[in-house]
Every structure is written in structure tokens, then in C-alpha cells.
Amino acid sequence: MKIIPLLPTHWNAVKEIYEEGIATGNATFETAAPSWEQWNASHLFICRLLAVEKEDIIGWAALSKVSERCAYDGVAEVSLYIKSTARGKGIGTALLAELIKESEANNLWTLTAGIFPENAHSLHLHQKAGFRILGRREKIGKLNGAWRDTLLLELRSVKVGRD
């Protein structure tokens, strides 16, 4: 497995993996994958990563801004999805580790993640990487007509923004 930059030419495979996550009902509030143009506009242009095994795209990770305020320029929200046939093989661990490394190289000091409490695998993955649970956001949004909670997680860099 290797990790490479996510490029526009990879969108179809990225979208398919994202749609698998959407179908679980526990990965995102989204109910359909956006167009490339929408996805591209909503994610930072840095830190876009793919996990590839024998030319097969098996996972992706990217970051989004948490705020337009300049005080939060070093804070980003994590998106990470693994192809269903590749789950449980350490792909998420490798992608998240590389995403953290890349984020610090790009002067990001805090990464956040909003995770449904029912998504035990994602919670475990993020906590294993050093994220801590800050709290529960009760009924933060509706998914398919039902109110859902998320857990807010955070990873503060030990290398960037320590002044």
C-alpha cells in the first residue's frame, strides 16, 4: 500500500468510497456525494491523500476549514474514508498518520473530527492516533429525518503552534 496525493482524476474512485460511507448511515450527514466541483471547493487544497494498493484506490483523507476567521487558519476538520473491502487492514491508521504529518508540515496546529457515537471503528482509529473526545453535540443535525448526535474530537499538534 502506498499513499499518494489525491488529484481530480481520482474523483470517481473517491466518490465511490464516499458513497459506501454514506450508505452506512454512520459516516456523515450527507445523503449523496457532491460533484467534484462542490467537493473541491469545500476541502483544503493541501493534505489530500489517497491510499492505493496495486493501482486500486482503497481509501482517502482530506481536510476542510472549520471557520473563515483568520484566528482559525491552523484548524481543520478531518474526512477519512476506507473502501469496504479494505477495512480492518490498517489503511485508516496509515492514512491518518500521514494526514497528521502533512497537516503539521502545512502549519496546521489542530485537527478536529465530528464522529457519530455509533461509528466505533472511526472513534477507535482517531483515539489511537491521539485525538481526544471533547464532548457530545446532542441532536446537532438530522439525517434522514432523525436527530443525530456527534462526538467532537480534537488533536492538538505537539510540533506546530506551540509558541
Side-chain angles (χ1 to χ4, degrees), residues 16 22 25 40 51 55 65 68 73 77 87 117 139 152 154 160:
E16 285 177 17
I22 291 169
N40 187 47
E55 306 309 314
K65 280 186 153 202
E68 291 298 322
D73 282 348
E77 183 176 7
R87 293 182 191 143
K139 296 183 179 179
L152 179 60
E154 173 185 87
V160 179

Side-chain angles (χ1 to χ4, degrees), residues 9 88 98 117 119:
T9 55
E98 187 64 22
N119 194 340

Side-chain angles (χ1 to χ4, degrees), residues 21-36:
I22 291 169
T24 69
N26 286 323
T28 178
F29 278 105
E30 298 297 332
T31 56
S35 68
W36 163 254

Side-chain angles (χ1 to χ4, degrees), residues 68-82:
E68 291 298 322
R69 291 178 160 183
C70 63
Y72 298 102
D73 282 348
V75 183
E77 183 176 7
V78 172
S79 293
L80 190 147
Y81 290 81
I82 306 300

Side-chain angles (χ1 to χ4, degrees), residues 140-155:
I140 191 73
K142 283 189 175 183
L143 178 60
N144 298 320
W147 285 106
R148 299 289 299 271
D149 296 354
T150 60
L151 298 176
L152 179 60
L153 285 79
E154 173 185 87
L155 176 69

Side-chain angles (χ1 to χ4, degrees), residues 4-77:
I4 63 171
L6 187 160
L7 303 173
T9 55
H10 301 124
W11 176 242
N12 287 336
V14 167
K15 182 180 174 188
E16 285 177 17
I17 295 168
Y18 191 33
E19 289 171 337
E20 285 183 354
I22 291 169
T24 69
N26 286 323
T28 178
F29 278 105
E30 298 297 332
T31 56
S35 68
W36 163 254
E37 292 75 20
Q38 292 167 318
W39 187 92
N40 187 47
S42 67
H43 289 81
L44 297 177
F45 295 117
I46 57 171
C47 305
R48 295 177 174 192
L49 305 173
L50 285 182
V52 180
E53 187 174 68
K54 299 178 184 175
E55 306 309 314
D56 184 29
I57 295 171
I58 55 174
W60 63 270
L63 298 174
S64 303
K65 280 186 153 202
V66 298
S67 175
E68 291 298 322
R69 291 178 160 183
C70 63
Y72 298 102
D73 282 348
V75 183
E77 183 176 7

Side-chain angles (χ1 to χ4, degrees), residues 96-127:
L96 190 53
E98 187 64 22
L99 187 68
I100 292 166
K101 180 179 158 190
E102 287 288 319
S103 72
E104 290 175 329
N106 283 280
N107 205 35
L108 297 176
W109 56 80
T110 300
L111 297 180
T112 68
I115 302 174
F116 291 123
E118 299 84 1
N119 194 340
H121 292 294
S122 187
L123 285 170
H124 176 72
L125 170 68
H126 284 79
Q127 289 179 297

